[in-house]
């Protein structure tokens, strides 16, 4: 399948931001990485801000598609599978180092902050649906899905940060109790795990 120029530019930007950081990456760096002229790049994106926002939006769209896929197992298994996939499957649109760079840039750049906040709300909304379904099925204790979604996303952000600075970190080897931790947060009895 042929890769569109837009996709090449986004991939090059993701790689460059991940390796050099958002501030240290120039438009020229991205164009060289994409093997296109800067003019061709400007046909798709006017600035680095537009690029990083597009990366956030693409990642959100991909994540929401996965969250929306039908799931036949328990709500706990669904949450754990989604978290595991988020932590262990890296690559475009978001790898751990890039995720940390996006978080850092969201703290200082209003365009990125807006996109990141919208993405956070959308993805946590999808997660809250799973939590709500688990509560309705009596799989989870009665709890506030909003609050729990914030806690679970904080765990994800922390584990992704760990993968960014510890490339050899393996979730299955280094955190064998993720399911038990999530079960405890959700009020699932130990025997049900």
């Amino acid at each position: 399948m042929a890769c569109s120029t837009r996709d090449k530019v986004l991939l090059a930007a993701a790689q460059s931001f991940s390796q050099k950081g958002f501030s240290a990456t120039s438009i020229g760096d991205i164009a060289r990485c994409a093997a296109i002229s800067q003019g061709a790049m400007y046909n798709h994106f006017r600035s680095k801000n537009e690029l990083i926002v597009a990366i956030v939006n693409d990642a959100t769209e991909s994540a929401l598609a996965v969250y929306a896929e039908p799931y036949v197992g328990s709500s706990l298994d669904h949450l754990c599978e989604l978290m595991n996939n988020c932590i262990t499957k890296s690559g475009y649109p978001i790898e751990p180092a890039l995720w940390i760079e996006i978080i850092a840039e969201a703290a200082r750049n209003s365009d990125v902050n807006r996109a990141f906040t919208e993405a956070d709300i959308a993805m946590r909304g999808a997660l809250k649906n799973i939590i709500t379904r688990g509560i309705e099925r009596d799989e989870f204790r009665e709890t506030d899905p909003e609050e729990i979604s914030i806690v679970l996303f904080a765990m994800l952000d922390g584990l992704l940060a760990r993968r960014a600075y510890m490339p050899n970190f393996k979730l299955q080897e280094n955190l064998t109790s993720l399911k038990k931790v999530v079960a405890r947060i959700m009020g699932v009895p130990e025997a049900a795990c």
Side-chain angles (χ1 to χ4, degrees), residues 18 56 59-60 86 93-104 116 119-120 123 153 156-158 160-161:
S18 181
V56 170
T60 303
C86 182
I94 302 292
E95 63 180 44
L98 178 58
W99 188 248
I100 300 312
E101 189 62 28
I102 289 169
I103 291 172
F116 187 77
D120 180 72
M123 290 190 295
F153 264 73
L156 285 172
D157 289 341
L160 284 167

Side-chain angles (χ1 to χ4, degrees), residues 5 25 29 36 38 41 56 58 70 75 81 91-92 100 113-114 128 136 151 154 160 177 179 186:
T5 301
T25 298
D29 293 332
I36 62 169
Q38 286 187 28
M41 196 177 87
V56 170
D58 281 7
S75 299
E81 182 178 311
Y92 181 78
I100 300 312
N113 182 285
R114 192 170 20 265
K128 287 188 293 188
E136 290 168 352
V151 169
L160 284 167
S177 63
K179 185 173 183 179
M186 301 311 303

Side-chain angles (χ1 to χ4, degrees), residues 7-17 19-20 25-38 41:
D7 292 339
K8 279 200 255 187
V9 170
L10 285 175
L11 181 58
Q15 290 171 343
S16 298
F17 295 155
Q19 293 168 359
K20 294 179 77 173
T25 298
S26 70
I27 294 293
D29 293 332
I30 296 166
R32 277 188 294 284
C33 185
I36 62 169
S37 70
Q38 286 187 28
M41 196 177 87

Side-chain angles (χ1 to χ4, degrees), residues 48-71:
K48 290 192 312 180
N49 273 4
E50 281 190 15
L51 282 161
I52 199 165
V53 166
I55 290 168
V56 170
N57 291 339
D58 281 7
T60 303
E61 188 177 305
S62 294
L64 290 175
V66 170
Y67 281 33
E69 291 175 1
Y71 193 85

Side-chain angles (χ1 to χ4, degrees), residues 116-183:
F116 187 77
T117 300
E118 289 171 5
D120 180 72
I121 290 167
M123 290 190 295
R124 284 190 310 100
L127 194 66
K128 287 188 293 188
N129 290 339
I130 298 167
I131 294 167
T132 300
R133 187 173 59 245
I135 293 168
E136 290 168 352
R137 293 177 174 175
D138 290 326
E139 296 173 334
F140 299 149
R141 67 172 156 60
E142 189 67 37
T143 190
D144 180 0
E146 173 73 15
E147 188 175 294
I148 296 298
S149 73
I150 291 170
V151 169
L152 294 178
F153 264 73
M155 285 176 55
L156 285 172
D157 289 341
L159 290 167
L160 284 167
R162 181 166 295 277
R163 280 210 51 226
Y165 70 82
M166 290 179 65
N168 293 329
F169 176 79
K170 303 278 189 257
L171 184 67
Q172 290 79 10
E173 295 170 18
N174 301 114
L175 189 62
T176 58
S177 63
L178 178 65
K179 185 173 183 179
K180 287 182 182 180
V181 170
V182 174

